[in-house]
Amino acid sequence: MFARSATRSLNNARQFSSSAARQTKVAVLGAGGGIGQPLSLLLKQNRLVTSLNLYDIRGAPGVAADVSHIDTPSEVNGYPADQLDQALEGVKVVVIPAGVPRKPGMTRDDLFNTNASIVRDLASAVARVSPEAHLLIISNPVNSTVPIVSEVFKKAGVYDPRRIFGITTLDVVRASRFLSGITGTDPKDCNVPVVGGHSGATIVPLLSHVAHGKGLKGESYEKLVHRIQFGGDEVVKAKDGAGSATLSMAYAGAKFTDALLRGLSGEKGVITPTFVKSPLYADKGIEYFSSLVELGVNGVEKINPVGPLSAEEEKLLEACLPDLKKNIEKGKAFVA
Ligand SMILES: NC(=O)C1=CN([C@@H]2O[C@H](COP(=O)(O)OP(=O)(O)OC[C@H]3O[C@@H](n4cnc5c(N)ncnc54)[C@H](O)[C@@H]3O)[C@@H](O)[C@H]2O)C=CC1
Ligand SMILES: O=C([O-])CC(=O)C(=O)O
């Protein structure tokens, strides 16, 4: 009996010390937008988030007041346009969905002219106020905005590639859902790794890596790959000028943030695709690449190799690399 209660208090003490270690302040920059609002709602429900700072050039205090009434323990604060520095004080994780979305007929690269400077300026503020924060970049074009953030951090002398992530989780979420729809299975059993980048041909789903995807051949395989690569266009078209994916992206953003927070708090074996500084295709001049990454207390813990590819996947990768290289170079050149 004594032994059991002693064990229980030891467990309680462990639980307390691990939750004390998990005092995690998260900022959302662009919190008033189509993604920012539902993302803030989902982060408020995450017990690993102890404090949520919501910033936008429009409407963040209102979103914060609204979200703050939700009955979870985290504290929520809203910051208007002129309080970016205050929003960033003491933050461990910064999620950035600030910027304009696509309209029908546009590519993600067409957003570059507007979003590059928004992301550059927000990254400069993070580098100055909270240089040790982990940055999760949602703003498009991700293939270019991640290099932009990295260059800003290099210039500021505070670059640590383990802390800068491009969010490609929506591609993984789509691949899982679309494959399960075809095979009549549960999406949780269709965990398709998606590698490369986040736009059109740079999105490379590895269907051969999952039992339910292996058997797909010919037209059904090609159609599924196309749907995963161009899933974003489906939403842009359906919204008909009112923007791009917001709700599914908020879900994906919250899912990745949760994975990172679990890794940061010491959980082992948290592995998910994300677009990071990567050695995998460095010999081909590709500095950033999304592949399965193990997340840990420092952020990126280990970058897993892509693994064996089918003949079709080899071709997809071949088509991905030149586009990805151009997108990355464009981002780097913007800051230089
Ligand atoms: N990585 C991914 O998988 C996905 C990325 N996106 C991208 O996310 C971005 C945001 O999309 P939405 O939320 O739909 O757009 P939105 O227009 O609804 O919201 C963007 C928000 O950013 C704010 N904003 C603009 N400049 C700012 C600045 N300097 N500082 C702080 N906030 C600023 C705006 O006031 C607005 O509230 C777009 O670039 C879109 O392409 C969208 C879906 C998926
Ligand atoms: O399609 C867009 O512009 C937004 C996006 O990145 C996605 O939905 O994957």
Side-chain angles (χ1 to χ4, degrees):
M1 187 63 189
F2 171 74
R4 209 182 295 153
S5 73
T7 310
R8 203 179 301 134
S9 40
L10 189 62
N11 284 342
N12 285 345
R14 279 202 192 114
Q15 234 166 17
F16 175 76
S17 68
S18 71
S19 68
R22 288 195 208 121
Q23 291 298 314
T24 309
K25 193 185 270 193
V26 176
V28 180
L29 311 183
I35 295 167
Q37 292 200 33
L39 175 61
S40 302
L41 172 68
L42 293 169
L43 293 176
K44 177 71 175 98
Q45 294 168 63
N46 190 321
R47 295 269 168 170
L48 295 176
V49 178
T50 53
S51 189
L52 196 52
N53 284 3
L54 305 184
Y55 173 81
D56 199 298
I57 51 169
R58 248 171 267 117
V63 176
D66 190 352
V67 166
S68 73
H69 290 190
I70 288 166
D71 57 353
T72 55
S74 53
E75 194 187 297
V76 184
N77 290 296
Y79 299 86
D82 60 349
Q83 288 183 15
L84 177 56
D85 284 17
Q86 291 90 323
L88 293 172
E89 261 158 39
V91 296
K92 177 104 178 159
V93 172
V94 181
V95 193
I96 308 188
V100 291
R102 285 199 286 165
K103 290 194 184 321
M106 291 171 83
T107 65
R108 290 183 184 80
D109 188 54
D110 293 333
L111 303 172
F112 188 97
N113 286 345
T114 314
N115 290 351
S117 53
I118 293 175
V119 171
R120 178 199 57 203
D121 296 347
L122 291 172
S124 301
V126 180
R128 183 167 37 78
V129 181
S130 48
E132 302 213 330
H134 296 259
L135 264 88
L136 281 51
I137 318 299
I138 293 174
S139 315
N140 271 317
V142 167
N143 295 355
S144 305
T145 50
V146 168
I148 288 174
V149 171
S150 305
E151 291 302 312
V152 167
F153 269 62
K154 281 183 205 168
K155 271 197 166 176
V158 291
Y159 180 53
D160 184 343
R162 297 173 304 175
R163 296 200 290 256
I164 297 176
F165 307 87
I167 307 305
T168 57
T169 315
L170 183 52
D171 303 318
V172 180
V173 166
R174 283 182 179 135
S176 166
R177 180 63 195 120
F178 298 165
L179 175 61
S180 77
I182 293 172
T183 53
T185 49
D186 191 310
K188 78 171 168 41
D189 300 323
C190 296
N191 219 342
V192 184
V194 183
V195 302
H198 177 68
S199 74
T202 71
I203 297 171
V204 179
L206 302 182
L207 290 159
S208 72
H209 288 208
V210 284
H212 294 300
K214 257 189 201 134
L216 285 177
K217 297 274 175 263
E219 202 186 330
S220 53
Y221 172 79
E222 274 158 29
K223 272 193 174 160
L224 176 59
V225 168
H226 186 274
R227 192 169 182 216
I228 295 165
Q229 290 185 322
F230 295 92
D233 297 48
E234 230 176 77
V235 183
V236 170
K237 193 164 169 235
K239 291 200 175 177
D240 197 18
S244 56
T246 53
L247 303 173
S248 51
M249 181 58 234
Y251 169 82
K255 194 169 179 173
F256 183 83
T257 308
D258 179 65
L260 178 65
L261 293 176
R262 286 190 284 116
L264 292 177
S265 71
E267 187 177 321
K268 299 286 174 216
V270 183
I271 300 172
T272 186
T274 172
F275 187 69
V276 293
K277 168 107 170 127
S278 171
L280 294 184
Y281 294 94
D283 61 334
K284 293 188 158 57
I286 313 281
E287 269 187 65
Y288 301 86
F289 193 82
S290 181
S291 66
L292 285 167
V293 170
E294 183 161 358
L295 303 169
V297 291
N298 299 305
V300 173
E301 214 60 53
K302 183 166 169 248
I303 295 173
N304 288 351
V306 162
L309 299 179
S310 67
E312 290 91 342
E313 289 161 357
E314 292 277 9
K315 275 194 213 140
L316 292 175
L317 193 66
E318 234 170 77
C320 155
L321 297 182
D323 279 7
L324 190 53
K325 192 164 186 233
K326 265 187 248 155
N327 296 158
I328 292 168
E329 278 165 8
K330 189 171 175 181
K332 286 182 71 175
F334 178 75
V335 180

